[in-house]
């Protein structure tokens, strides 16, 4: 890249080959964003064209009204003529000695059709919800696409989530079918996924459990309820007619953490999501026919859904998915994978980058990364030093780094500089994607000046892939997104600022969401999990900065009854209720928690007590003695 002041630009060679190289795209899109998106939508095959591009009945909106579509038809039938035997998917298993699985577009097409027919035979109909609790194996993609083929709604639950976390989600979707596996590898250990699934479906409506044989290990198997994947697809024909879906029919529900303890089901729809998935991947990762793309996210998150499934497939791109941990069995496993498959575009999270940087020389030895031409980052703010390390050591100062901002709710990337245009500035995520209108507002709802921090909001007509609602919870939908600045402005819950070039920097969340290694969780969710312990009276969780993971949780508890090994017990409680992604770093026993007179815990004070920052305004605090006490306890324990 070329450096000018504190900005970077793509080289002439990169620019020449890029899909978009002319800044005029921004102006053109801005003039009429609805038209812009409608033009992009034309690229897809619609069984019936939409009658109206956009309709707004705040806080609800629709895109491509009256249009009929199927995303799998656009992935397969639309692509097959040119790419029948092109590799779609490369699956890298965790054990080094195991062979990868490689599926062409045509292979995947037949697998999806067979499984779709199998699901139909089990009675799954259009609109039915199907739970998917699978590790990163090809069947997770086949399952999602098979649901989409027949118009069933998939809801993927991250395979490392605990049985309890699975149950809450299954209860909310009322899924009657769950697809899982007999286990998977994680850091050389077999994870007993089926046993977890069995626990998770207790007290849900699940009647059938489809089990993929990944490990071949012994698992509990309940006759009449459990059925092997192989038996579902056996003798099923290679073709299943795609369901004719309305633009606004649900494609999937994905749960994410919001401001309160219970996760919310983000509803994404067939039409708008397809348009966004097709185009954001193409223009931001600048995919060409010979690219090998690797996004390291698990399918349990939105990044997995969009950029390890729908977006590369819609674009006919070859991509890699990986079962294991990036530093297993050696810290350079991820670099080996880049070498092995000649990955050209690599997309990962700042946490992973910081971890690679920590391993330093050990991971760089013997890897030249010559095949790479573009790098991406997602999930949390990337600090300048991580950005520089990524850019220099992995990208060899050659590859543009697209820092991409988006959310489970937005379905696709919305802020990033386009690789053929730039500019790129370390720690700044970039410019709004063409056709999106962002604003940064102060407390009074007025646009901020460059450099001034405010709330990041999205203005009408939003984007085609923005969530349509929270499943079965209209109140939460209204309160979370459409209340802060009124029903016509989408509130992202992020704080941000702009530099004088218009580049946006994401400062962090304004709500109680914390990002642990890029995983989204709320302090309320953790508190609810910990409070379930019979000896705990009350607790407060705050996220504090961490050098590798970005943020980690710290817990303050008030006990009813003495607990031996308090930290172990609290960590165990989180493990049981949520899973291993959000384990507390420290646990403090306290007599009381700092509260406002109306009884709200002042988490800001707890966080600052921990980090040693100025405490700020304490005038609303009802019990100053608690602050003194906690200060002492932290001091003692930190020693
Ligand atoms: C944060 C992940 C800074 C942000 C795709 C957002 C980021 C939340 C970035 C959504 C980025 C995501 N820079 N912060 N490039 N990308 N975030 O739903 O706070 O897991 O609101 O979606 O992650 O997290 P989610």
């Amino acid at each position: 890249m070329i450096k000018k002041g504190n900005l970077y630009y793509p080289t002439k060679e990169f620019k020449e080959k890029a899909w978009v190289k002319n800044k005029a795209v921004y102006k053109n899109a801005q003039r009429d964003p609805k038209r812009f998106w409608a033009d992009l939508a034309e690229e897809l095959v619609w069984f019936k064209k939409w009658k109206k591009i956009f309709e707004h009945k705040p806080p609800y909106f629709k895109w491509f009204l009256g249009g009929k579509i199927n995303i799998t038809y656009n992935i397969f039938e639309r692509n097959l003529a040119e790419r029948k035997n092109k590799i779609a998917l490369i699956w890298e298993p965790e054990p080094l000695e195991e062979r990868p699985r490689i599926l062409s577009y045509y292979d995947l097409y037949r697998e999806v059709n067979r499984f779709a027919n199998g699901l139909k035979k089990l009675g799954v109909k259009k609109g039915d919800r199907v739970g998917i609790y699978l590790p990163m194996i090809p069947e997770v993609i086949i399952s999602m696409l098979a649901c989409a083929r027949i118009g069933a709604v998939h809801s993927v639950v991250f395979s490392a989530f605990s049985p309890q976390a699975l149950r809450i989600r299954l209860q909310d979707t009322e899924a009657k079918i769950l697809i899982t596996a007999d286990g998977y590898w994680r850091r050389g250990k077999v994870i007993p996924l089926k046993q977890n699934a069995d626990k998770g479906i207790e007290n849900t409506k699940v009647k059938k459990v489809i089990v993929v044989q990944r490990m071949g290990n012994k698992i509990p198997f309940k006759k009449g309820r459990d059925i092997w994947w192989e038996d579902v697809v056996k003798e099923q024909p290679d073709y299943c007619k795609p369901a004719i879906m309305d633009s606004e029919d649900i494609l999937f529900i994905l749960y994410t953490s919001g401001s309160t303890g219970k996760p919310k089901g983000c509803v994404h729809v067939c039409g708008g999501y397809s348009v966004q998935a097709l185009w954001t991947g193409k223009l931001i990762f600048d995919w060409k026919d010979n690219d090998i793309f690797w996004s390291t996210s698990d399918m349990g998150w939105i990044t997995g859904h969009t950029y390890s499934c729908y977006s590369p497939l819609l674009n006919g791109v070859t991509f890699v998915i990986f079962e294991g941990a990036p530093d297993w069995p050696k810290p350079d496993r991820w670099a080996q994978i880049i070498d092995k498959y000649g990955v050209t575009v690599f997309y990962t999270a700042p946490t992973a980058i910081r971890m690679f940087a920590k391993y330093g020389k050990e991971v760089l030895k013997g890897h030249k990364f010559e095949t790479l031409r573009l790098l991406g980052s997602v999930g949390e703010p990337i600090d300048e030093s991580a950005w520089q390390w990524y850019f220099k050591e992995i990208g060899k100062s050659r590859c543009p780094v697209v820092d991409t901002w988006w959310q489970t709710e937005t379905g696709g990337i919305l802020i990033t500089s386009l690789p053929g245009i730039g500019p790129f500035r370390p720690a700044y995520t970039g410019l709004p994607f063409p056709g999106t209108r962002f604003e940064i507002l102060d407390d009074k709802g007025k646009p901020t000046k460059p450099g001034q921090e405010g709330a990041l909001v999205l203005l009408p007509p939003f984007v085609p892939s923005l969530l349509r609602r929270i499943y079965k919870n209209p109140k939460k939908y209204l309160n979370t997104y459409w209340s802060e600045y009124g029903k016509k402005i989408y509130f992202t819950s992020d704080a941000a600022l702009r530099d004088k070039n218009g580049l946006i920097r994401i400062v962090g969340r304004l709500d109680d969401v914390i990002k642990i290694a890029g995983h989204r969780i709320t302090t309320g969710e953790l508190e609810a999990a910990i409070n379930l312990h019979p000896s705990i009276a009350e607790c407060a969780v705050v996220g504090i900065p961490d050098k590798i993971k970005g943020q980690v949780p710290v817990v303050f508890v008030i006990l009813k009854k003495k607990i031996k090994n308090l930290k172990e017990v609290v960590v165990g409680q989180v493990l049981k209720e949520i899973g291993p992604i959000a384990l507390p770093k420290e646990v403090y026993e306290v007599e009381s928690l700092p509260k406002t007179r109306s009884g709200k815990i002042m988490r800001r004070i707890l966080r600052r007590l921990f980090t040693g920052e100025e405490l700020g305004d304490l005038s609303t605090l009802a019990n100053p003695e608690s602050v003194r006490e906690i200060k002492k306890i932290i001091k003692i324990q930190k020693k």
Side-chain angles (χ1 to χ4, degrees), residues 166 170 178 196-204 206 209 225:
L166 170 65
L170 289 174
L178 179 70
N196 292 350
D198 284 352
K199 263 190 249 155
I201 63 172
E202 285 167 14
N203 299 318
T204 69
V206 172
V209 178
R225 183 196 70 188

Side-chain angles (χ1 to χ4, degrees), residues 303 379-381 403-408 494 506 509 515 520:
T303 307
E380 34 169 336
D403 178 16
T404 62
W405 177 93
W406 57 302
Q407 308 179 299
T408 307
D494 273 325
I506 305 295
R509 297 282 301 198
K515 278 287 188 124
R520 177 169 164 179

Side-chain angles (χ1 to χ4, degrees), residues 421-457:
I421 299 178
F424 307 96
R425 179 174 178 186
Y428 282 71
T429 162
L431 298 169
F433 192 79
T436 62
R437 295 171 60 215
F438 278 96
E439 197 46 90
I440 298 171
L441 303 178
D442 68 13
D443 295 350
K444 300 195 178 72
K446 293 238 162 55
T448 53
K449 294 191 192 71
Q452 191 191 344
E453 217 175 290
L456 181 71
V457 300

Side-chain angles (χ1 to χ4, degrees), residues 281-458:
K282 176 167 173 161
L283 303 188
I284 295 164
F285 298 118
D286 193 43
W287 285 326
K288 311 287 163 43
D289 227 4
N290 53 0
D291 270 317
I292 310 286
F293 177 67
W294 182 24
S295 163
T296 61
S297 168
D298 191 276
M299 205 56 77
W301 313 107
I302 192 69
T303 307
H305 280 59
T306 307
Y307 300 106
S308 282
C309 181
Y310 288 114
S311 182
L313 287 171
L314 281 165
N315 282 286
V317 162
T318 300
F319 64 106
V320 178
I321 67 167
F322 175 44
E323 179 186 37
D327 57 343
W328 178 269
K330 294 240 172 72
D332 71 341
R333 180 65 189 276
W334 60 278
Q336 282 183 25
I337 296 173
I338 292 177
D339 284 351
K340 182 172 177 184
Y341 299 113
V343 170
T344 58
V345 183
F346 181 55
Y347 190 37
T348 194
T351 292
I353 298 166
R354 289 189 292 258
M355 184 178 81
F356 304 154
K358 195 183 83 181
Y359 286 127
K361 290 210 171 78
E362 218 180 320
V363 300
L364 297 171
K365 220 171 33 199
H367 301 286
K368 294 205 187 91
F369 303 114
E370 277 164 341
T371 56
L372 289 175
R373 62 179 201 89
L374 180 62
L375 300 173
S377 173
V378 60
E380 34 169 336
I382 178 165
D383 48 286
E384 174 137 16
S385 82
W387 194 98
Q388 290 292 358
W389 189 87
Y390 197 30
F391 174 61
K392 288 190 185 133
E393 303 295 346
I394 309 300
K396 307 292 179 199
S397 305
R398 173 186 75 236
C399 309
V401 177
V402 288
D403 178 16
T404 62
W405 177 93
W406 57 302
Q407 308 179 299
T408 307
E409 290 86 344
T410 70
I413 298 165
L414 295 194
I415 306 178
T416 188
S417 293
L418 292 171
I421 299 178
F424 307 96
R425 179 174 178 186
Y428 282 71
T429 162
L431 298 169
F433 192 79
T436 62
R437 295 171 60 215
F438 278 96
E439 197 46 90
I440 298 171
L441 303 178
D442 68 13
D443 295 350
K444 300 195 178 72
K446 293 238 162 55
T448 53
K449 294 191 192 71
Q452 191 191 344
E453 217 175 290
L456 181 71
V457 300
L458 181 62

